Amino acid sequence: MIGGRATGPLSERKATCRAGSNIAFIKYWGVAGGAEDLNIPLNNSISMTLADAHTTTTVAWDDSGCLPEDSIAIDGEQLVGSSAERTVAHLDRLRALAGVPYKASVVSTNNFPMASGIASSASGFAALTVAGAAALGLRLDVTRLSAVARQGSGSASRSLFGGFVEWERGWGGGESEGNSLLDSRSVAHQLHSEDHWALRDVIAIVSTSAKRVSSSSGHRLAATSPLNAARTACVGAWLETVRQAIADRDIGKLGPILELDALAMHGVMMTSTPSLLYWQPGTLEVLQAVRAWREDDGVPVYFTIDAGPNVHLICEADSAAEVERRVGALPAVERVLVSGPGTGPELSDGHLI
Ligand code: PMV
């Protein structure tokens, strides 16, 4: 059970969960053909769950029949359009699992800017899955919750665990088969707890505006890139190195692969049809600076970038203050957030509604 706490009584039908975002060291980019709705990835991915970039979500199911439709508010704004549809589709999954018709009120808050390359969908769908399931009294173990969260947003499957996490592709090559909500082949598991390694993600925010193409649409374009097959052919060896680097707490081994896969993923994005270009001038300014600090000044820091313009600088805790100071002084950087590894989702009584 999540947070070591039993789900609430059925009559309560309300639960609140806080889940951390995560930063991937080996990325999830691209879904298997024929399985787009299941979010079966093209490759395994490895991430660190973040302590200080999180989403808190309350789900209240209405069993009185008074609520005509699902109501979803994030950071004080009522969700509309495709984002609302995506959340309703996830509520449908939970309704199907519980066999109930209830509509839900969902209120959610992030402590970081949404849709800007800090994975709000990872923490958001992890928190929604855990709170929604708990409020319905569904007794699902964390692996099953990871399978359900994956269908809302692939990277959310990893936010079901704290510390250092690997999401297994789980299905054989080619087209995927089956369609069970609880099919647990493609799920995440913990490699090491949050206490294993005092790594830091120093996040350089160069833009807080929402991205034009969401990662969920982008995954469907990966196969159109001529570079995609080359990246997926290399990822097996990179995963092995990253697992070993994390086990050995070796930043010098982790860092180069971290940068390589971020650049490989952005190469796939840029060369897909249509082309996805998430970088802004400030992105490149940070990348150049990081390389110079490392090569000229010996600061052990490496970058990675998700589907957005902001840059995640990965370093050990003892260099974090220096990295934060340097990156905060760059003209392109609007804001800096720093996070270490965090726990998995936790249920609480601090309801938002
Ligand atoms: O879970 P999604 O659909 O938001 O995809 C996340 C994709 C990346 O953030 C770019 C990479 C990753 O593995 O987190």
Side-chain angles (χ1 to χ4, degrees):
M1 295 275 96
I2 293 289
R5 180 177 178 275
T7 48
L10 255 178
S11 57
E12 198 181 325
R13 302 208 193 289
K14 188 198 284 194
T16 298
C17 174
R18 191 173 96 168
S21 179
N22 65 74
I23 182 65
F25 299 156
I26 295 293
K27 304 295 187 184
Y28 153 51
W29 194 250
V31 282
E36 283 80 358
D37 294 341
L38 293 177
N39 292 340
I40 306 301
L42 296 179
N43 57 270
N44 288 19
S45 51
I46 295 180
S47 60
M48 177 173 89
T49 299
L50 299 178
D52 301 303
H54 47 76
T55 302
T56 302
T57 299
T58 299
V59 180
W61 297 97
D62 171 47
D63 58 6
S64 70
C66 293
L67 195 65
E69 53 191 40
D70 296 318
S71 152
I72 304 145
I74 303 189
D75 291 332
E77 303 268 336
Q78 203 66 26
L79 218 57
V80 291
S82 58
S83 310
E85 282 164 23
R86 194 171 162 200
T87 308
V88 169
H90 204 62
L91 294 170
D92 286 342
R93 293 183 186 107
L94 296 170
R95 279 187 275 263
L97 284 170
V100 297
Y102 314 143
K103 299 295 182 194
S105 295
V106 178
V107 175
S108 197
T109 57
N110 291 305
N111 76 332
F112 57 92
M114 275 174 73
S116 57
I118 306 176
S120 58
S121 64
S123 52
F125 279 96
L128 180 69
T129 303
V130 173
L136 284 170
L138 285 167
R139 293 186 165 270
L140 303 176
D141 64 26
V142 67
T143 300
R144 292 231 149 79
L145 289 167
S146 174
V148 176
R150 183 197 76 230
Q151 293 163 67
S153 171
S155 56
S157 65
R158 298 187 307 240
S159 275
L160 259 294
F161 298 86
F164 300 86
V165 179
E166 179 158 359
W167 169 20
E168 302 277 345
R169 177 177 195 276
W171 300 60
E175 302 286 298
S176 57
E177 67 273 20
N179 187 20
S180 161
L181 279 169
L182 295 178
D183 188 304
S184 298
R185 273 175 287 182
S186 184
V187 288
H189 62 95
Q190 188 180 64
L191 295 171
H192 302 276
S193 76
E194 57 278 10
D195 305 324
H196 171 71
W197 191 9
L199 216 52
R200 294 289 179 268
D201 181 6
V202 179
I203 310 169
I205 298 183
V206 298
S207 166
T208 50
S209 48
K211 56 197 173 200
R212 285 169 203 228
V213 181
S214 69
S215 39
S216 53
S217 323
H219 290 297
R220 284 146 186 76
L221 302 178
T224 67
S225 163
L227 304 186
N228 188 50
R231 176 180 172 263
T232 50
C234 293
V235 156
W238 297 347
L239 284 161
E240 189 48 45
T241 306
V242 166
R243 270 184 222 115
Q244 201 55 54
I246 295 173
D248 298 346
R249 301 183 192 88
D250 185 343
I251 185 81
K253 191 189 265 183
L254 174 70
I257 303 294
L258 183 80
E259 292 195 354
L260 184 56
D261 190 44
L263 294 172
M265 179 185 74
H266 280 271
V268 170
M269 291 164 161
M270 289 175 193
T271 53
S272 66
T273 305
S275 165
L276 301 176
L277 191 51
Y278 287 111
W279 295 6
Q280 295 291 337
T283 311
L284 207 47
E285 186 180 322
V286 178
L287 302 193
Q288 297 283 16
V290 168
R291 290 250 165 119
W293 300 335
R294 196 166 70 230
E295 286 159 19
D296 302 344
D297 308 335
V299 183
V301 55
Y302 298 84
F303 64 75
T304 185
I305 317 165
D306 280 342
N310 299 319
V311 187
H312 296 253
L313 308 189
I314 307 298
C315 61
E316 293 186 285
D318 57 6
S319 355
E322 174 67 9
V323 170
E324 187 181 0
R325 186 188 63 73
R326 287 179 180 236
V327 81
L330 293 176
V333 174
E334 291 176 15
R335 201 174 141 195
V336 182
L337 305 175
V338 182
S339 181
T343 63
E346 284 172 5
L347 287 164
S348 82
D349 294 326
H351 302 310
L352 303 176
I353 33 177

